[in-house]
Amino acid sequence: MPQPDHPSFSPADVRHRLVETPGGRIHVAEQGDGPLVLLVHGFPELWYSWRHQLPALAAAGFRAAAIDVRGYGRSSKPAQAHAYRMLDHVADNVAVVRALGERSAVVAGHDWGAPIAANSALLRPDLFTAVALFSVPYSPRGPGRPTDTFARLGGEEEFYVSYFQRPGRAEAEIEPDVRGWLSGIYAALSAGTMPAAGISTVPEGGRLSDRFPEGGLPSWLTEADLDVYAGEFERTGLTGALNRYRNVDRDWEDLAAWDGVAVTQPSLFVGGALDPTTTWLAGAIKAFPRTLPGLTASHILDGCGHWIQQERPDEVNRLLIGWLEGLATG
């Protein structure tokens, strides 16, 4: 069996802390010393989704800091849905960098973490000097209200983002069997276990999980890994995580002054060729020359699904570290 190109993850090597932010506290998992790289996960994940990147970045001379986004894991979970605006997530990232004693950072995000990272760079270019986006490309604020756009994407069915809008509905599907639901969604968006019909839409009266594949875990996920995710979400519930989806229209209103504005810092994009996101956001990728004029490299990994830094950790690590080292010498 081929060996990984970078050091393996060891929980004992990770430093954990809680830092104060405007919305409460954010849990940070750190490894290494050097220039700060802030890692922001997506839905439904945790800091643990960067477990393969933490030791690799540390070995390459960087200080890697993976957070639990507000609403997740050990971080604070404000009760109000409007506390999960994009502006709040950006404020959390700013507070984390300051709490870690740094004056600047490179920010990297996956899934929902990608737009959080991109907007952090957009709103605070003084603090976030470069941005790496995984799976979800940067798409600046546009003229249409997001919920209207998502309704059109669903066609005769309901697009998954629209399905998540109503408070309590997705929770009622997920929380009776958190571990089973997580196993299903991870498999449904992974190479090798992804259903041909996809899971982007929900039929009337149905559930998102109705289209999850049957069978075992995807190859990148062990039972022990799933235990970590399930244990945290069984403890916290899913409302905080789902509230990110319930703020898309508020974000659109909050970011009116940045309509169509590009992120100009050096940037990196890495997506999976089998990821549905690279299909329904293909236009955003084509627009990179305008929306990400500082783009250094864009990669689409053949045979890779959505959970890119976990499905293909060695390849992602090589691309990310190579890009980071290029920033230092460029």
Side-chain angles (χ1 to χ4, degrees):
M1 178 180 295
Q3 295 299 307
D5 294 342
H6 299 290
S8 59
F9 170 70
S10 171
D13 294 333
V14 178
R15 307 183 298 271
H16 295 270
R17 69 170 81 184
L18 290 169
V19 303
E20 297 294 329
T21 71
R25 298 195 296 177
I26 292 293
H27 169 234
V28 186
E30 295 180 73
Q31 191 167 347
D33 297 288
L36 179 62
V37 181
L38 184 66
L39 303 169
V40 187
H41 68 79
F43 176 88
E45 301 182 84
L46 301 164
W47 74 268
Y48 188 77
S49 299
W50 300 102
R51 63 193 176 281
H52 303 298
Q53 284 66 54
L54 289 169
L57 289 167
F62 296 94
R63 182 185 186 184
I67 65 170
D68 279 335
V69 172
R70 71 162 64 189
Y72 290 82
R74 305 183 205 176
S75 292
S76 293
K77 298 155 192 68
Q80 302 85 1
H82 62 74
Y84 296 83
R85 283 174 148 104
M86 183 60 70
L87 295 180
D88 292 314
H89 291 291
V90 172
D92 286 342
N93 285 352
V94 170
V96 168
V97 173
R98 297 300 192 205
L100 296 182
E102 301 289 351
R103 301 180 63 180
S104 65
V106 174
V107 60
H110 170 257
D111 184 83
W112 256 124
I116 293 172
N119 280 283
S120 296
L122 176 70
L123 300 179
R124 293 299 305 267
D126 58 314
L127 195 65
F128 298 103
T129 57
V131 57
L133 308 176
F134 295 96
S135 298
V136 176
Y138 175 58
S139 182
R141 182 198 189 273
R145 187 172 290 274
T147 51
D148 295 337
T149 301
F150 293 132
R152 289 193 298 272
L153 284 170
E156 295 182 357
E157 297 190 339
E158 192 172 21
F159 196 60
Y160 77 96
V161 179
S162 302
Y163 178 74
F164 287 160
Q165 292 297 307
R166 187 190 307 165
R169 178 165 60 164
E171 289 93 327
E173 172 186 338
I174 301 168
E175 291 179 356
D177 181 13
V178 169
R179 196 176 194 278
W181 195 90
L182 292 174
S183 173
I185 197 167
Y186 296 150
L189 293 172
S190 296
T193 51
M194 189 180 300
I199 62 161
S200 295
T201 61
V202 180
E204 184 177 355
R207 304 177 305 168
L208 191 67
S209 57
D210 291 340
R211 289 174 172 164
F212 286 175
E214 297 181 1
L217 301 180
S219 60
W220 58 268
L221 186 69
T222 68
E223 295 285 349
D225 293 331
L226 183 58
D227 285 342
V228 172
Y229 289 111
E232 288 293 82
F233 285 110
E234 287 169 348
R235 180 176 61 82
T236 65
L238 272 292
T239 296
L242 288 162
N243 278 342
R244 175 82 289 274
Y245 292 92
R246 296 164 185 162
N247 279 276
V248 291
D249 282 350
R250 290 189 182 98
D251 296 340
W252 183 77
E253 295 165 358
D254 289 341
L255 297 171
W258 289 270
D259 187 78
V261 176
V263 171
T264 59
Q265 294 97 311
S267 55
L268 168 72
F269 175 71
V270 186
L274 301 180
D275 186 350
T277 308
T278 61
T279 300
W280 70 270
L281 287 176
I285 296 173
K286 291 180 181 178
F288 279 167
R290 175 177 56 84
T291 61
L292 290 177
L295 186 70
T296 303
S298 179
H299 305 272
I300 302 294
L301 305 187
D302 290 338
C304 184
H306 181 67
W307 317 105
I308 190 165
Q309 80 271 35
Q310 299 180 81
E311 289 189 51
R312 302 279 277 277
D314 291 339
E315 194 166 357
V316 166
N317 289 347
R318 286 195 298 272
L319 293 172
L320 177 58
I321 291 168
W323 175 72
L324 289 168
E325 292 175 341
L327 295 177
T329 60

